[in-house]
């Protein structure tokens, strides 16, 4: 059951970086927070952030992978007022191109702009997509991008949800959110766990999803989840390891050291530690403690559902007007079986005859954390979708 109060306001860093992680897209770098003093109007309550991308960009390097990326500066930030009907669904950010003049409180007769929903993986958050969404918004200034914190993750962890915590219930949360925001997304992009959530959204509801709708499933198959090799980090083992740790710890280093001792990689250990929040911010630093910002019990249930959920039926019987694109990372942590690839290629042929679409893409020089390992390659592949949608809308207009 959703909490009565609205989701907490979000504050993304203006200059964010991509760092590799095992289970979802990489979190942004810690930086200066945008405070309430940046508001242009007085007496406005914070609900969730609207980020306009009318600003300049500069190149930077992303340690530890040192990939070239776009660091974005000086976004114009505005806040939506509270609304009871929007309260307590999920926490989110809305990144808007500089040609978008819209919010969910406008006259209902005004159509919403083309919208894409970006979904993170297990143990991630919507912030993982922050800098990538800003880059998309700069390239496609008529679009807006909804970055969601899924249930039990990020700021949504404080919004209590009834179980079961499954792929299907997670997808229903997102459908409910976009319905209440009066959005009709044209594109859904989901990484790992988020990829199955996107497929489940298409399966569950014709509305509020329009037709056509384009779905991107990033490094995730519709069915069986096959674990990586013995020397690679296993998500289920990581989640259970974290559940056995104390609810509160004295420092982030304590968590990093424990994970390394538990045979997890340094990259994963450092990333996991970013999900700790100081429990006593006003006390002396020496007496401070840290606790997790996510619900590990709920996440454990969600990952089990990710392993068990089979959505081949939506892929092999694609509804008319739906186009599903799979992206396989060249060095994926998940094993893509030959039978998976063959089923996708067979579905591709069937969908073409039924007025839908299925495609398979390969992202070279990338592991499971696709937009950290090869952000430029991922950007080029995803950009084709927004160009196609712009062409379709232009033809209609």
């Amino acid at each position: 059951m959703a909490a009565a109060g609205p989701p907490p306001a979000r504050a993304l860093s203006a200059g964010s970086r991509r760092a590799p992680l095992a289970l979802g897209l990489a979190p942004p770098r810690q930086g200066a927070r945008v405070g309430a003093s940046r508001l242009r109007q007085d007496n406005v309550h914070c609900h969730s952030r609207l980020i306009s991308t009318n600003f300049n960009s500069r190149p930077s390097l992303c340690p530890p992978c040192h990939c070239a990326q776009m660091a974005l500066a000086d976004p114009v930030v505005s806040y939506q007022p509270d609304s009871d009907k929007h309260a307590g669904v999920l926490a989110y950010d809305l990144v808007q191109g500089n040609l978008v003049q819209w919010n969910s409180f406008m006259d209902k007769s005004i159509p919403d702009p083309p919208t894409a929903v970006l979904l993170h993986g297990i143990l991630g958050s919507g912030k993982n997509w922050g800098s990538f969404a800003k880059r998309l918004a700069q390239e496609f200034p008529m679009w807006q991008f909804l970055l969601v914190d899924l249930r039990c993750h990020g700021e949504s962890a404080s919004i209590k949800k009834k179980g079961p915590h499954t792929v299907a219930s997670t997808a229903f949360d997102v459908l409910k959110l976009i319905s209440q925001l009066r959005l009709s997304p044209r594109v859904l992009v989901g990484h790992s766990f988020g990829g199955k959530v996107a497929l489940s959204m298409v399966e569950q509801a014709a509305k509020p999803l329009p037709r056509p709708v384009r779905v991107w499933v990033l490094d995730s198959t519709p069915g069986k989840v096959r674990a990586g090799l013995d020397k690679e980090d296993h998500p289920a083992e990581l989640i259970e390891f974290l559940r056995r740790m104390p609810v509160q710890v004295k420092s982030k280093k304590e968590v990093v050291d424990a994970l390394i001792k538990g045979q997890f990689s340094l990259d994963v250990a450092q990333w996991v530690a970013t999900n700790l929040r100081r429990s006593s911010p006003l006390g002396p630093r020496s007496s401070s403690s840290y606790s997790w910002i996510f619900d590990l019990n709920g996440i454990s249930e969600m990952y089990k559902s990710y392993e068990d959920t089979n959505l081949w039926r939506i892929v092999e019987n694609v509804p008319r007007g739906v186009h599903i694109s799979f992206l396989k990372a060249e060095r994926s942590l998940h094993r893509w079986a030959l039978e998976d690839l063959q089923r996708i290629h067979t579905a591709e042929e069937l969908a073409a005859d039924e007025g839908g679409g299925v495609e398979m893409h390969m992202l070279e020089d990338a592991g499971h954390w696709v937009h950290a390992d090869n952000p430029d390659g991922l950007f080029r592949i995803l950009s084709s979708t927004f160009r196609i949608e712009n062409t379709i809308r232009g033809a209609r207009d």
Side-chain angles (χ1 to χ4, degrees), residues 317-368:
N317 188 24
V318 180
R320 181 173 293 274
V322 174
H323 193 106
I324 302 173
S325 295
F326 291 92
L327 183 141
K328 176 187 180 300
E330 184 179 25
R331 304 189 307 273
S332 175
L333 286 177
H334 297 297
R335 296 179 185 175
W336 285 73
L338 180 59
E339 68 176 88
D340 292 337
L341 301 176
Q342 289 174 338
R343 288 183 75 171
I344 290 173
H345 287 307
T346 300
E348 184 175 356
E349 297 174 3
L350 292 174
D353 296 334
E354 298 296 328
V358 175
E359 285 184 325
M360 187 75 201
H361 300 261
M362 169 75 77
L363 181 60
E364 298 179 349
D365 192 27
H368 184 58

Side-chain angles (χ1 to χ4, degrees), residues 149-190:
D149 280 2
L150 301 177
R151 61 165 58 203
C152 303
H153 291 74
E155 300 295 342
S156 291
S158 62
I159 304 171
K160 300 304 180 184
K161 299 286 186 181
K162 283 186 177 180
H165 300 298
T166 63
V167 169
S169 63
T170 304
F172 183 78
D173 291 343
V174 183
L175 287 169
K176 185 177 179 181
L177 174 65
I178 62 178
S179 177
Q180 291 191 344
L181 293 177
R182 297 191 298 106
L183 294 175
S184 299
R186 294 286 176 180
V187 178
L188 308 177
V189 182

Side-chain angles (χ1 to χ4, degrees), residues 267-308:
D267 284 339
V268 169
Q270 291 177 334
W271 166 67
V272 167
T274 66
N275 289 293
L276 289 165
R277 177 163 44 200
R278 194 182 297 276
S279 303
S280 50
L282 300 180
R285 183 170 294 271
S286 59
S287 62
S288 295
S289 61
Y290 293 81
S291 57
W292 299 111
I293 62 172
F294 42 51
D295 174 0
L296 282 170
N297 291 329
I299 287 174
S300 178
E301 191 176 344
M302 291 168 75
Y303 189 77
K304 181 66 166 55
S305 173
Y306 174 57
E307 291 184 315
D308 294 341

